[in-house]
């Protein structure tokens, strides 16, 4: 096999989300857990869902600990578009068709309440998070989708939202139609979530970064175990890890994972399109702006959805950059990054008991591209379930084990599992494999055989070779190399690993095993 091509030029701008680049990396008082602990509720995951849930539980008078494997709000939450909206493209018409008009009304109510809740909390905490109330739009530029959007506008309005159909927006290009929902929200997600973390700590809650959870024993009480053997004893446990870890309920079989690219650029204030915009065209696009300085706004554009392990990340970034600069010629790109989302088989999030028969272990996942509004909704719902107060009327909509789930989600779940089986059996023949480590270029990575074992081999720019096991520690699929981010990705369920094998994203909880790197003489 010939030498693999190098990773090529990186996208323009700093390879870091704007949200994390403009906030402190750590929170004072949130160091790693160093001793066993007993609390009312242990929340696993310090992202949008975990912090929202923990804050609501503190409000309800419970003692809480948040256990985060990395840094708070630096994973999916720190990579979000941060549109807090009840407008989900082509969602209400489909929901009314598959689950009835009442389900559509309940969904609209829960999401509208989440939008308002963000405003209430931000005001109460005086959070400096650039919160703005603006209209949200789902738009089309082609002739085939705008009629669907007209039906969606009618369905969203029937569900109770302030929705309308329009053919005019502030976008600098022609559209054929759009759904518009008034008074939605956008913000700096990490500043908002860190304000929650600071308030949790100030009110006696515990928050611990760099504390990876690897085990959960349900019972009365439950026991949570960390990778260093420490134990947190809690009456209730909430798993808020984006993709559910420790998944005894096998929710992963009903989740699909996608990667999405993002760029942030400065834009003259006069070029601001004045709202939030999303479309399913062009591989998916999301457009919005944020405060930057007196003369400029920050333009955030996302899209180019693909599965984890996609070998064309660089090419997809090229397309996203070209799309952005073609439509916004005065945009100057400052940052680029990627995000990861998980969607349920029937496109409705899972929020509730972790598995049938569980009594004190809860989960929240499957928010698709609407993680922040979904996280706030989930925080409220999980708190009511734990505390046992008035359960919201829309709780059953999100029940992971809701009646009819098997029928409604069966086609998508079957597709997910067929895809998993196909990848598991054939990924050993995928492109991106090298005959030996000598075929891996500087900055590149590939799966090769080393001493008869499949290894994930990465060659650093200085020529140093690093090797780890190529088998994902979740379910054993072979990982693939992302040459833009220099990470190993599992194409089956989205686990991501650093070149040294450290876990970056679950559902995997264990690192890739270190393999002996080939000798320098062999390179």
């Amino acid at each position: 096999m010939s030498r693999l091509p190098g990773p090529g030029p990186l996208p323009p701008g700093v390879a870091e989300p704007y949200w994390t680049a403009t906030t402190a990396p750590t929170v004072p008082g949130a160091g790693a857990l160093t001793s066993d602990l007993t609390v009312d509720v242990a929340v696993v995951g310090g992202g949008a869902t975990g912090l929202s849930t923990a804050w609501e539980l503190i409000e309800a008078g419970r003692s809480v600990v948040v256990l985060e494997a990395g840094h708070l709000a630096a994973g999916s939450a720190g990579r979000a578009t941060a549109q807090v909206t009840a407008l989900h493209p082509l969602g209400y018409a489909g929901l009314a068709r598959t689950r009835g008009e009442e389900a559509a009304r309940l969904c609209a109510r829960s999401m509208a309440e989440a939008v308002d809740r963000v405003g209430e909390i931000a005001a109460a905490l005086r959070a400096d998070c650039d919160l703005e109330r603006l209209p949200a739009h789902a738009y089309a530029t082609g002739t085939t989708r705008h009629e669907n959007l007209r039906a969606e506008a009618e369905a969203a309005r029937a569900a109770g939202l302030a929705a309308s159909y329009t053919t005019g927006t502030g976008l600098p290009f022609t559209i054929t139609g759009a759904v518009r929902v008034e008074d939605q929200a956008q913000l700096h997600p990490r500043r908002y979530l860190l304000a929650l973390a600071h308030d949790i700590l100030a009110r006696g809650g515990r928050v611990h970064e760099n504390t990876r959870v690897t085990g959960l024993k349900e019972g009365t009480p439950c026991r949570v175990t960390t990778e260093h053997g420490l134990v947190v004893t809690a009456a209730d446990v909430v798993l808020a890890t984006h993709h559910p870890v420790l998944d005894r309920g096998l929710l992963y079989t009903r989740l699909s994972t996608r990667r999405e690219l993002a760029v942030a650029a400065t834009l003259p204030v006069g070029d601001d399109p004045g709202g939030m915009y999303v479309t399913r065209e062009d591989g998916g696009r999301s457009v919005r702006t944020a405060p930057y300085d007196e003369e400029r706004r920050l333009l955030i554009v996302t899209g180019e959805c693909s599965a984890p392990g996609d070998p064309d990340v660089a090419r997809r970034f090229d397309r996203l950059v070209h799309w952005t600069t073609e439509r916004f010629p005065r945009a100057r790109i400052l940052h680029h990054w990627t995000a990861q989302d998980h969607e349920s088989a029937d496109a409705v999030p899972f929020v509730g008991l972790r598995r049938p028969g569980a009594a004190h272990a809860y989960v929240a996942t499957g928010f698709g591209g609407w993680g922040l509004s979904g996280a706030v909704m989930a925080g409220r719902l999980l708190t009511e379930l734990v505390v046992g107060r008035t359960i919201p009327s829309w709780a059953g909509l999100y029940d992971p084990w809701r009646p009819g789930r098997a029928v409604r989600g069966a086609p998508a779940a079957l597709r997910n599992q067929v895809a998993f089986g196909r990848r598991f059996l054939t990924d050993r023949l995928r492109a991106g494999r090298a005959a030996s480590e000598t075929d891996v270029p500087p900055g590149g990575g590939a799966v090769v055989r080393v001493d008869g074992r499949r290894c994930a081999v990465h060659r650093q720019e200085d020529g140093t070779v690093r090797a780890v096991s190529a088998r994902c520690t979740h379910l054993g699929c072979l990982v693939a190399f992302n040459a833009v981010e220099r990470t190993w990705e599992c194409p089956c369920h989205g686990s991501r690993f650093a070149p040294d094998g450290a876990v970056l994203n679950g559902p995997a909880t264990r690192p890739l095993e270190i393999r002996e790197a080939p000798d320098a003489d062999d390179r």
Side-chain angles (χ1 to χ4, degrees), residues 70-401:
H71 292 305
L72 295 172
S76 296
R79 296 169 176 270
T81 58
Q83 299 183 25
V84 189
T85 173
L87 176 62
H88 297 183
L90 303 180
Y92 292 101
L95 190 57
R97 183 174 58 254
T98 58
R99 299 189 63 176
E101 294 181 355
E102 178 63 13
R105 284 191 290 270
L106 293 173
C107 180
R109 182 187 308 165
S110 67
M111 291 300 173
E113 290 176 0
V115 174
D116 291 339
R117 186 61 169 164
V118 166
E120 294 169 1
I121 295 172
L125 300 183
R126 298 182 180 179
D128 180 18
C129 61
D130 295 333
L131 178 67
E132 297 177 315
R133 300 300 291 259
L134 294 168
H137 308 75
Y139 73 90
T141 59
T143 58
T144 57
R145 288 193 181 272
H146 76 279
E147 286 302 324
N148 290 339
L149 289 175
R150 190 185 298 274
E152 178 61 20
E154 294 174 357
R157 188 166 52 250
L161 298 180
S164 61
Y165 180 80
T166 182
T167 56
T169 67
L171 290 169
F173 50 86
T174 301
I175 68 163
T176 53
V179 183
R180 176 182 172 117
V181 175
E182 306 297 335
D183 200 29
Q184 303 302 284
Q186 61 181 30
L187 46 71
H188 189 304
R190 197 155 191 263
R191 287 180 184 165
Y192 170 77
L193 294 170
L194 292 187
L196 294 182
H198 284 295
D199 196 54
I200 290 167
L201 288 165
R203 298 165 67 176
R206 300 281 295 268
V207 179
H208 294 286
E209 298 182 313
N210 299 313
T211 303
R212 184 176 299 280
V213 168
T214 56
L216 167 60
K217 183 178 181 181
E218 294 180 32
T220 309
C222 300
R223 297 184 184 277
V224 174
T225 307
T226 75
E227 63 182 337
H228 298 301
L230 298 175
V231 176
V232 175
T233 304
D236 296 280
V237 175
V238 173
L239 299 177
T241 55
H242 203 42
H243 197 297
V245 299
L246 315 175
D247 186 11
R248 289 184 60 191
L250 300 182
L251 284 175
Y252 73 83
T253 65
R254 293 186 281 137
L255 291 170
S256 58
T257 303
R258 69 172 184 265
R259 302 282 291 165
E260 190 172 42
L261 311 184
V263 294
T266 55
L267 189 73
V269 168
D271 295 351
D272 185 359
M276 298 169 278
Y277 300 88
V278 65
T279 182
R280 288 189 172 184
E281 298 173 342
D282 297 317
R285 290 288 184 269
S286 170
V287 177
R288 68 105 155 176
T289 64
Y292 191 76
D293 61 26
E294 291 184 358
E295 297 181 351
R296 296 172 293 176
R297 296 278 290 180
L298 188 77
L299 174 70
I300 300 115
V301 180
T302 67
E304 291 299 323
C305 297
S306 65
D310 180 5
D312 292 327
V313 177
R315 190 178 307 171
R316 290 183 181 277
F317 260 119
D318 285 344
R319 285 200 293 263
L320 186 64
V321 169
H322 176 75
W323 189 95
T324 300
T325 55
E326 182 180 56
R327 287 156 180 78
F328 298 90
R330 296 201 287 176
R332 299 293 178 264
I333 293 176
L334 301 182
H335 295 263
H336 68 268
W337 67 91
T338 65
Q340 187 156 296
D341 291 311
H342 308 281
E343 187 169 68
S344 71
D346 63 358
V348 177
F350 299 136
V351 183
L353 289 172
R354 174 195 183 205
R355 60 182 178 82
H360 299 284
Y362 302 87
V363 69
T365 186
F367 298 114
W370 308 99
L372 196 50
S373 50
V376 177
M377 174 277 294
R380 294 182 59 217
L381 175 52
L382 290 168
T383 296
E384 297 301 334
L385 292 174
V386 169
V387 175
R389 299 184 306 196
T390 302
I391 305 301
S393 58
W394 35 264
L397 178 70
Y398 301 107
D399 183 357
W401 315 106

Side-chain angles (χ1 to χ4, degrees), residues 464-487:
T464 303
V465 174
R466 177 177 281 161
V468 294
S469 170
R471 293 175 61 87
C472 176
T473 55
H474 177 224
L475 289 177
C477 291
L478 293 189
V479 297
F481 190 67
N482 179 331
V484 172
E485 297 181 276
R486 310 294 169 91
T487 57

